Amino acid sequence: MATARQATVSAPVVTGDDPRDRILAAAGQEFAERGYEAATIRDICLAAGVNVAAVNYYFGDKRRLYIESVKHAHELRVKQVPLPEWPRDRPAAERLHDFIDNLLERMLGFGQPPWQVRLMLREVLQPTDACRELVEDYMRPHFALLVSTLDDVCERRLPQHELRRVAMSIIGQCFLYRAAGDVVGMLVPRDEIESLHTPTQLADHVTRFTLAALGAAPPLASPASPPSSISRTPR
Amino acid sequence: MATARQATVSAPVVTGDDPRDRILAAAGQEFAERGYEAATIRDICLAAGVNVAAVNYYFGDKRRLYIESVKHAHELRVKQVPLPEWPRDRPAAERLHDFIDNLLERMLGFGQPPWQVRLMLREVLQPTDACRELVEDYMRPHFALLVSTLDDVCERRLPQHELRRVAMSIIGQCFLYRAAGDVVGMLVPRDEIESLHTPTQLADHVTRFTLAALGAAPPLASPASPPSSISRTPR
DNA sequence: GAGGAATTCAAACAGCCGTTTCAATCAACT
DNA sequence: AGTTGATTGAAACGGCTGTTTGAATTCCTC
């Protein structure tokens, strides 16, 4: 039924019928790729297949479009990768591994990293108005879950402030690969990246590193330790 | 002696006599603060107390000014905080602690973080032409030193690729506080930041965490472990 | 199908951007 | 002092930006 009128305008990169959603999707990608200043309304509208005036019509101005884009990316991401939940009897160490695996998967993604994560990364590195909301709604619950899992792992032997520092150590390890992946790629041989720096492999490494530091697993360099990995699913 | 001619133009934020150096200093601060796109030549020249044409005269165009700024910041930083060197007999664990302390000090700085680090951070997060040079001249030697120190700490029991991953774990822990400090500040109580997240305290934590993971120190959550910190200089 | 609101469109607006121009000024040397 | 070359200065040039306009078009309701 829908009249195929728009025809061969140029490159309507974004699909969907609601213009508001198309603008939001295109804006997210552009902002994520180029940053707020460098992204232009004209490019966004070209990619969305709408007129430049549409941004003002639906969002008011560029700044409000940006904030809506961040919120939108945030909501999409929450739907895609929800907070992990476990059965009551799952061991704490395995819950920690699941959490780290989940975190890395969310940060690095399966195939190409989706634009939503890049957009949120920009907010983390240089917070704007949209950031506080992002932290409260999205990151604080995850952080609390991580801290409580760590509390279980070391059987309540560490004070809260120390648990928080350990949590930061875990997040930092994962965060490096997301934020400074290009530099990591320059410092580590290419084949090593491809074989050992997959999300799964990294999750194993970070988990083992953390558990060993907490005393919940044998240390990495112990003379009597088995070769290396934890999960036995070479596949 | 020097003729106080420039008088009350506006706000010559940058000092020095060579206009080229003044532009470089002002440009570094502006680029670090606002990013490449948002920083304007007019603002830079205003802060440097020179005419807009001076940028074209001394550097050609904005892009080349940016590259020179990054190189300049890099060189300044290398002079300020050189690679650590130790006497032959210094224990590996203490060398690791020194390295991490040095790394954090360089990243977080004593007082307010200098603009040079912010500028380099921008390059790490979104590499441009200036980045590869930065990595080769500046980061690779540091990284190699860290890996070799780790090799000493665990007495050559780990393969190189595993050492590199451990090195990344260390760098990641430090990097988080530099890159995502604002978000960290939102997740951790304010007083805890002030009392426990100083460069020195963090260096102690990261070192202890790493040594414990490698089996070169008792685990954090061991029942028989003393309260917490390593260095006893509350000062 | 007519009326009216919602939406789209091409065009233009004012403003700021990086860059260039060219004359004025300065410094140094014969 | 006078000439030459390096440096500085005020002003302007296109070009691209976010934003606005007002008419044309679409969509829905009666």
Side-chain angles (χ1 to χ4, degrees):
Chain A
M1 284 307 155
T3 61
R5 182 81 56 82
Q6 58 261 41
T8 55
V9 204
S10 185
V13 184
V14 186
T15 64
D17 21 344
D18 186 9
R20 210 189 119 96
D21 287 345
R22 285 213 311 275
I23 295 174
L24 229 34
Q29 289 185 244
E30 285 291 321
F31 283 136
E33 204 75 30
R34 309 192 198 281
Y36 178 79
E37 305 286 347
T40 75
I41 290 187
R42 279 174 174 82
D43 284 347
I44 290 171
C45 290
L46 184 73
V50 302
N51 191 270
V52 279
V55 164
N56 254 264
Y57 183 76
Y58 285 104
F59 298 94
D61 57 14
K62 189 184 182 184
R63 177 136 248 122
R64 265 173 290 181
L65 169 61
Y66 175 75
I67 293 179
E68 287 303 313
S69 297
V70 174
K71 283 193 190 175
H72 186 234
H74 159 206
E75 284 161 11
L76 277 180
R77 206 63 191 157
V78 169
K79 277 182 202 159
Q80 285 170 12
V81 189
L83 263 177
E85 286 181 21
W86 303 281
R88 273 270 160 208
D89 59 343
R90 185 152 177 81
E94 293 181 24
R95 272 185 283 150
L96 181 65
H97 181 270
D98 290 346
F99 184 95
I100 292 172
D101 195 51
N102 184 280
L103 179 63
L104 273 165
E105 205 64 74
R106 204 166 40 227
M107 278 183 167
L108 302 177
F110 271 95
Q112 72 289 8
W115 55 269
Q116 302 138 17
V117 191
R118 278 206 231 181
L119 192 55
M120 290 170 59
L121 177 62
R122 282 190 185 276
E123 275 300 310
V124 168
L125 299 172
Q126 208 167 44
T128 71
D129 301 337
C131 186
R132 180 148 245 115
E133 203 169 331
L134 209 66
V135 169
E136 294 305 326
D137 295 353
Y138 183 52
M139 295 175 181
R140 191 179 294 284
H142 282 257
F143 187 72
L145 180 61
L146 175 57
V147 169
S148 109
T149 305
L150 286 171
D151 206 10
D152 292 348
V153 166
C154 55
E155 292 163 333
R156 317 231 146 46
R157 277 199 291 260
L158 291 184
Q160 286 289 315
H161 69 84
E162 186 110 25
L163 289 176
R164 279 193 279 266
R165 286 204 296 199
V166 173
M168 290 299 175
S169 290
I170 292 173
I171 295 171
Q173 291 178 70
C174 301
F175 181 68
L176 180 73
Y177 292 94
R178 156 45 56 217
D182 292 315
V183 172
V184 171
M186 294 184 201
L187 289 174
V188 173
R190 171 174 288 271
D191 58 329
E192 199 171 304
I193 292 278
E194 288 165 4
S195 61
L196 290 176
H197 289 230
T198 65
T200 308
Q201 295 267 0
L202 289 177
D204 288 351
H205 165 71
V206 173
T207 306
R208 182 133 189 277
F209 193 80
T210 305
L211 288 178
L214 293 175
L220 266 65
S222 148
S225 76
S228 72
S229 99
I230 286 184
S231 78
R232 302 275 73 236
T233 50
R235 196 225 182 309
Chain B
M1 282 305 157
T3 62
R5 182 82 57 80
Q6 59 261 41
T8 56
V9 205
S10 186
V13 184
V14 185
T15 63
D17 22 342
D18 186 10
R20 209 188 121 97
D21 287 345
R22 285 213 309 276
I23 296 174
L24 228 36
Q29 289 185 244
E30 286 292 322
F31 283 136
E33 204 75 29
R34 309 190 198 282
Y36 179 78
E37 305 285 348
T40 75
I41 291 188
R42 279 174 174 82
D43 284 347
I44 290 171
C45 290
L46 184 74
V50 302
N51 192 270
V52 280
V55 163
N56 253 263
Y57 182 75
Y58 285 105
F59 298 95
D61 59 13
K62 188 184 182 183
R63 178 136 246 121
R64 265 173 291 182
L65 169 61
Y66 175 75
I67 293 179
E68 288 303 313
S69 298
V70 174
K71 284 192 190 174
H72 187 234
H74 159 207
E75 285 161 10
L76 277 181
R77 207 64 192 155
V78 169
K79 276 182 201 160
Q80 286 169 12
V81 189
L83 263 178
E85 285 180 22
W86 304 281
R88 273 270 161 208
D89 59 344
R90 185 150 176 82
E94 292 181 23
R95 272 184 284 149
L96 182 65
H97 181 271
D98 290 347
F99 184 95
I100 291 173
D101 194 51
N102 184 280
L103 179 63
L104 272 166
E105 205 63 74
R106 203 166 40 228
M107 279 183 167
L108 302 177
F110 272 95
Q112 72 290 7
W115 56 270
Q116 302 137 17
V117 191
R118 277 207 234 180
L119 192 55
M120 290 171 58
L121 177 62
R122 282 190 184 275
E123 276 301 310
V124 168
L125 299 173
Q126 208 167 43
T128 70
D129 301 337
C131 186
R132 182 149 245 115
E133 202 169 331
L134 210 66
V135 170
E136 294 305 326
D137 295 354
Y138 183 53
M139 295 175 181
R140 193 181 293 283
H142 282 257
F143 186 72
L145 179 61
L146 174 57
V147 169
S148 109
T149 305
L150 286 170
D151 205 10
D152 292 348
V153 166
C154 54
E155 293 163 332
R156 319 231 144 44
R157 277 198 290 260
L158 291 184
Q160 284 289 315
H161 70 84
E162 186 109 26
L163 288 176
R164 279 192 280 266
R165 285 204 297 197
V166 173
M168 289 299 175
S169 289
I170 292 173
I171 295 171
Q173 291 180 71
C174 301
F175 180 69
L176 180 73
Y177 292 94
R178 156 45 58 214
D182 292 313
V183 173
V184 172
M186 295 184 202
L187 289 173
V188 173
R190 171 173 288 269
D191 58 328
E192 199 171 306
I193 293 279
E194 288 164 4
S195 61
L196 290 175
H197 288 230
T198 65
T200 308
Q201 295 266 359
L202 289 177
D204 288 351
H205 166 70
V206 173
T207 306
R208 182 131 190 276
F209 194 80
T210 305
L211 289 178
L214 292 176
L220 265 66
S222 148
S225 76
S228 70
S229 102
I230 286 185
S231 77
R232 303 274 73 238
T233 50
R235 197 225 186 297

